[in-house]
Amino acid sequence: MELLSVKDLCISFRQGSGLCRAVDHASFSIHEGELVALVGESGSGKSVTALSLMGLLPAASAVIEGGHALFEGQDLLKLENDALRKIRGNRISMIFQEPMTALNPVLTVGWQLAEVLKLHRGLHGKELHDECAQLLEQVGIPDAESRLEDYPHQLSGGMRQRCMIAMALACRPSLLIADEPTTALDVTVQAQIMELLGALREKFHTAVLLITHNLALVKEQADRVAVMYGGSIVELAERQALFSNPVHPYTRLLLRSFPGSNQRGQRLMAIDGNVPPLAEMPVGCRFAPRCPLATEVCRQQCPVAAEIATGHSVACHHAMLSLPDAAPADNVSGGKDDTPLLDVKDLKVWFPVRRGLFRKIVNVAKAVDGVSFTLRKGRTMALVGESGCGKTTVGKALMRLVHANSGSAILHGNSDLLKVSPKELRLLRRNVQMIFQDPFSSLNPRLMVGATIAEGMEIHGIGKTAEERRQILKELMEKVGLDESQLSRYPHQFSGGQRQRIGLARALALRPELIICDECTSALDVSVQAQILNLLQAIQRETGVSYLFITHDLSVVAYLADEIMVMYLGHIVERGLASEIFGSPAHPYTKALLSAAPQMEPATNRKVIRLEGDVPSPLNPPSGCPFHPRCPKATPQCATLPPPEHRLSSTHLCHCWAMS
């Protein structure tokens, strides 16, 4: 039965004296119990569409110019506020992208959950309290009774997202709108969230509108998929039809942009350019400026959606034409050798916990507890694991941005990055650079990007004159796919992908031998991510630079990494070549990570391993093996003694009692 029918939805925003169209004649429907995925790049109009259904668009700037959205016989776009308020949070609920900003930081989780139940279901007293606790239990939060008194900052990211889901499902809505509910979550938590949504769909027949750019997740979970670009639905089909026979050039390019092990050694088919701002949307097909198949008719006439098969519609003038093939990477092994560049031994980073008037140390958080590895020249070492395992702390310790309590990090076999004097470190920093997770906060908002990139060059004496440095800056901008004229712009004038390119240019300006990449693609659209990955590979082939790639995105790791380290609660539990880790994982934690990650490539006999609970606090780590409280193979021995090292090959190591 059809639950929601959106037809010819048109939404514009006021800009100056005119209107800019953000959603342009979007049409789709959702049936009872169905999961429809709405996919596309940032700026394509996905969230604006969802917010219009909830009546949450800013009244001062947004204008709904046409269309209807029929939900259970009522047009949501024409309802008065009082009538809409009875539906919102009751019959239609929404999970927002960032739970920390969606939850009130000064109110307990229980209070915020109770507010929904009091308003829409009229519950009070003990009945209200019991229902709140039961809702938290249903979404998989342990010790739900006590968690009702917790504030949002006291919960992990996954638990906050589960609280948001509990609030959204408190009134058992007919439709749940989930706006990027798993973005920035670990694959294990992501799997728990999607399993929960699946169970609720089955039990209560709740329909889900899933807004995401995770194509692997869509392939595993969706019933139907709507692909959106420039405010228009360019392709709509059942999941199997869309992934087996994508028709629109944008859909096909998106799927080609997704990295994986089957694309190693190839350039990803990245989509050139970015989604244009609303004020610069072209006439005709909005995808035409970026489409390799575009002709004059595309630039003049807007295509009309047509059904090419039952349930499969596409809006394109040249949908059946073939796209050019992706070009293979040149000299993939160039610059790689077996010479050690960085040798890290027994790295420990412990953060003191101070309390009281005299700031006495009462405990320590063991963020990194004895990490060792060797990174070779021209190679990419991936460091993977859940949030809170210490990945970023390892990178910052190597940069001396946090203090290491013990250990060594020998560069070129002679200089210890952890022990050299500040003067020596200043010279060595030219050889070791870092790209941070959030490119906007890592760039000075008051400096033009040219000054930001040139700052390190001036400190280290790269370029004898200002004119020589200017020439280097021009070459760097070309290398990272930006224009020389953009050197005089400020960070806020760039997109997220462009800012990440600027961060890469700043690192490359010093001609380093090692770049530490901290989640540098995690917040990017799949198309922009493909551009950055292609760029990283091209630079590595050209210069022989090594990467320590910190991430929780296993599809990126499968595509890019030569070697992989799997980290859990400050310890490396497994290390090996990418082919060894993906082909024959040994540690139970590695197996759980790989099984929980959604995959684009077809998997045979894939068994999903669900980990219970969250990563323990480094303030109170478990004794023995740190993974044993969550390990499906744990024995009494695991709880008392640290696991021994097992060498499975000359390159493959695992720390686990189960292999003894």
Side-chain angles (χ1 to χ4, degrees):
M1 187 179 80
E2 191 171 81
L3 182 68
L4 173 71
S5 175
V6 177
K7 184 71 174 176
D8 290 328
L9 178 62
C10 296
I11 303 171
S12 294
F13 285 89
R14 296 184 179 92
Q15 289 195 358
S17 58
L19 292 174
C20 293
R21 183 67 61 84
V23 178
D24 190 24
H25 292 90
S27 300
F28 62 93
S29 63
I30 303 176
H31 295 83
E32 187 178 284
E34 185 181 37
L35 192 153
V36 174
L38 189 58
V39 303
E41 295 169 282
S42 298
S44 61
K46 306 186 303 295
S47 294
V48 172
T49 300
L51 291 172
S52 71
L53 302 178
M54 296 290 289
L56 296 176
L57 290 174
S61 59
V63 179
I64 297 178
E65 295 187 289
H68 66 250
L70 295 178
F71 173 77
E72 296 182 340
Q74 300 181 81
D75 190 345
L76 298 173
L77 306 180
K78 292 181 171 59
L79 291 178
E80 297 294 332
N81 284 336
D82 288 342
L84 191 57
R85 198 175 293 119
K86 292 178 182 178
I87 295 176
R88 186 171 55 218
N90 184 19
R91 304 300 298 148
I92 304 177
S93 292
M94 188 166 182
I95 305 170
F96 295 92
Q97 182 169 354
E98 177 45 65
M100 194 59 190
T101 56
L103 293 170
N104 193 322
V106 299
L107 297 175
T108 64
V109 168
W111 196 99
Q112 296 179 67
L113 189 54
E115 183 181 29
V116 179
L117 295 169
K118 284 189 287 186
L119 179 64
H120 292 294
R121 292 175 57 183
L123 300 183
H124 296 281
K126 186 177 186 302
E127 186 182 13
L128 174 64
H129 181 274
D130 291 346
E131 182 68 14
C132 288
Q134 185 177 350
L135 281 167
L136 291 188
E137 285 179 4
Q138 285 178 353
V139 297
I141 292 182
D143 196 15
E145 192 84 22
S146 64
R147 289 296 187 183
L148 291 172
E149 303 302 318
D150 285 352
Y151 290 88
H153 73 273
Q154 294 175 285
L155 305 177
S156 68
M159 292 177 72
R160 285 195 292 266
Q161 194 64 287
R162 278 176 269 184
C163 288
M164 285 293 301
I165 293 174
M167 292 172 64
L169 296 170
C171 299
R172 297 176 185 173
S174 299
L175 174 62
L176 177 65
I177 300 173
D179 187 2
E180 300 279 9
T182 61
T183 297
L185 295 181
D186 300 311
V187 290
T188 51
V189 178
Q190 175 181 272
Q192 293 170 5
I193 297 296
M194 295 312 299
E195 186 177 40
L196 171 64
L197 291 181
L200 293 167
R201 286 172 58 207
E202 185 175 343
K203 185 175 181 181
F204 299 115
H205 304 290
T206 300
V208 179
L209 176 61
L210 176 67
I211 299 171
T212 184
H213 60 251
N214 189 333
L215 296 176
L217 187 68
V218 170
K219 187 174 183 181
E220 289 194 349
Q221 301 288 338
D223 296 309
R224 287 189 298 135
V225 185
V227 182
M228 199 168 195
Y229 183 86
S232 300
I233 304 291
V234 297
E235 188 164 2
L236 177 63
E238 292 186 356
R239 174 191 59 186
Q240 188 61 38
L242 186 111
F243 282 94
S244 62
N245 183 34
V247 176
H248 198 281
Y250 180 60
T251 308
R252 287 185 275 169
L253 287 169
L254 273 184
L255 295 176
R256 285 196 190 183
S257 297
F258 198 85
S261 58
N262 63 334
Q263 293 165 299
R264 289 180 68 91
Q266 293 182 342
R267 282 181 57 82
L268 295 170
M269 181 62 90
I271 307 175
D272 294 333
N274 299 283
V275 179
L278 294 181
E280 300 174 15
M281 281 291 178
V283 179
C285 176
R286 293 189 166 191
F287 185 57
R290 305 174 67 193
C291 181
L293 302 180
T295 61
E296 191 60 30
V297 68
C298 303
R299 288 182 274 273
Q300 299 298 327
Q301 298 179 22
C302 185
V304 178
E307 194 168 66
I308 59 171
T310 304
H312 192 165
S313 62
V314 62
C316 181
H317 294 297
H318 305 303
M320 299 304 177
L321 295 182
S322 299
L323 288 173
D325 293 330
D330 297 325
N331 191 20
V332 174
S333 61
K336 297 182 181 181
D337 60 39
D338 291 329
T339 307
L341 174 67
L342 181 68
D343 191 24
V344 177
K345 296 289 186 187
D346 200 30
L347 175 64
K348 294 183 180 181
V349 183
W350 295 1
F351 295 106
V353 178
R354 301 177 185 272
R355 290 199 182 123
L357 179 64
F358 298 103
R359 310 301 295 159
K360 182 180 179 182
I361 297 176
V362 296
N363 202 350
V364 291
K366 299 180 179 180
V368 180
D369 197 19
V371 165
S372 301
F373 64 92
T374 299
L375 177 58
R376 305 185 186 281
K377 287 185 179 180
R379 295 185 181 270
T380 300
M381 171 79 80
L383 182 56
V384 303
E386 293 173 286
S387 297
C389 70
K391 306 187 301 292
T392 296
T393 305
V394 169
K396 288 184 175 180
L398 297 177
M399 290 291 295
R400 289 272 287 268
L401 298 178
V402 297
H403 173 69
N405 295 76
S406 65
S408 63
I410 309 299
L411 186 69
H412 287 310
N414 49 33
S415 300
D416 190 344
L417 294 174
L418 307 182
K419 294 183 175 64
V420 295
S421 67
K423 183 178 180 180
E424 292 174 295
L425 179 64
R426 186 173 177 177
L427 296 174
L428 288 174
R429 276 219 172 115
R430 175 176 173 175
N431 290 326
V432 184
Q433 287 291 295
M434 189 167 186
I435 306 173
F436 297 91
Q437 181 171 358
D438 183 356
F440 189 69
S441 62
S442 66
L443 297 172
N444 190 327
R446 294 185 291 182
L447 287 181
M448 290 184 287
V449 298
T452 296
I453 299 172
E455 187 176 26
M457 296 167 59
E458 294 171 5
I459 291 172
H460 291 281
I462 296 175
K464 296 178 181 178
T465 64
E467 182 55 37
E468 191 174 335
R469 284 193 290 273
R470 180 78 188 185
Q471 184 59 34
I472 295 173
L473 284 175
K474 179 183 177 181
E475 293 172 1
L476 280 170
M477 293 295 276
E478 290 176 357
K479 185 175 288 187
V480 299
L482 296 174
D483 191 79
E484 179 188 6
S485 63
Q486 295 173 310
L487 288 169
S488 56
R489 294 185 185 180
Y490 291 90
H492 73 272
Q493 296 175 286
F494 294 89
S495 68
Q498 288 174 321
R499 286 196 287 265
Q500 200 62 281
R501 290 167 182 263
I502 293 166
L504 180 56
R506 179 175 60 179
L508 291 172
L510 302 184
R511 299 163 187 164
E513 296 176 286
L514 169 63
I515 298 179
I516 301 170
C517 305
D518 184 14
E519 297 279 11
C520 67
T521 63
S522 64
L524 302 178
D525 292 316
V526 64
S527 55
V528 180
Q529 175 182 267
Q531 294 172 4
I532 298 298
L533 293 177
N534 284 340
L535 183 59
L536 289 173
Q537 280 204 327
I539 289 168
Q540 188 175 63
R541 290 192 299 272
E542 180 183 336
T543 67
V545 66
S546 300
Y547 298 126
L548 177 62
F549 203 90
I550 298 168
T551 186
H552 63 254
D553 190 333
L554 296 178
S555 60
V556 172
V557 171
Y559 171 72
L560 191 67
D562 298 302
E563 300 175 74
I564 300 172
M565 296 186 293
V566 182
M567 194 170 185
Y568 186 84
L569 206 62
H571 299 265
I572 301 297
V573 297
E574 188 167 359
R575 184 174 81 241
L577 299 176
S579 57
E580 293 171 329
I581 298 297
F582 282 98
S584 54
H587 198 280
Y589 179 60
T590 308
K591 293 177 181 178
L593 279 183
L594 295 177
S595 77
Q599 298 175 7
M600 288 286 285
E601 303 161 26
T604 56
N605 300 322
R606 179 185 170 199
K607 180 182 178 182
V608 178
I609 303 170
R610 295 284 184 254
L611 294 180
E612 299 297 328
D614 295 291
V615 179
S617 169
L619 288 170
N620 186 28
S623 59
C625 174
F627 184 59
H628 86 264
R630 304 172 70 195
C631 182
K633 295 185 177 181
T635 64
Q637 189 178 34
C638 301
T640 56
L641 297 172
E645 178 182 288
H646 293 276
R647 186 173 289 274
L648 306 176
S649 74
S650 60
T651 54
H652 193 178
L653 304 176
C654 179
H655 298 261
C656 183
W657 279 111
M659 305 188 66
S660 299

